[in-house]
Amino acid sequence: MPLPREILAELASKRAAERAAAERDRRRDLARTALECFGWAAAGILAILWSVHTTDPTAGRVAFYGGMGLGNGGILLSLLAAYRRGERRGDR
């Protein structure tokens, strides 16, 4: 027995609102992840720039490789955290 049209319309509007809320959450998380990646990249670049500025070769090497690890590792952690949040939300 098919459902009455009123109930079908109510269900359709409810699902449309849920989809809009899920899309908003997904976009907000995408923006958050992009800002996190930008922050990690900026921190890594600053460390690398400081390695160029310093006159001590040992400190310069430490700052350079630290900046590489900070930037790349931070971006990787941000992307993995975003993937994990998306999985929990049920994103495809």
Side-chain angles (χ1 to χ4, degrees), residues 22-53:
E23 185 68 20
R24 185 183 62 241
D25 290 343
R26 187 185 67 82
R27 287 180 190 249
R28 186 175 295 143
D29 190 53
L30 180 63
R32 173 187 169 188
T33 303
L35 287 174
E36 285 178 3
C37 288
F38 180 76
W40 284 115
I45 289 170
L46 286 175
I48 291 171
L49 288 176
W50 184 75
S51 76
V52 173
H53 174 71

Side-chain angles (χ1 to χ4, degrees), residues 50-64:
W50 184 75
S51 76
V52 173
H53 174 71
T54 187
T55 57
D56 182 22
T58 305
R61 233 180 248 114
V62 167
F64 179 79

Side-chain angles (χ1 to χ4, degrees), residues 4-16:
R5 288 187 189 265
E6 299 85 31
I7 294 176
L8 287 176
E10 180 183 333
L11 287 174
S13 66
K14 184 178 177 183
R15 296 299 177 255

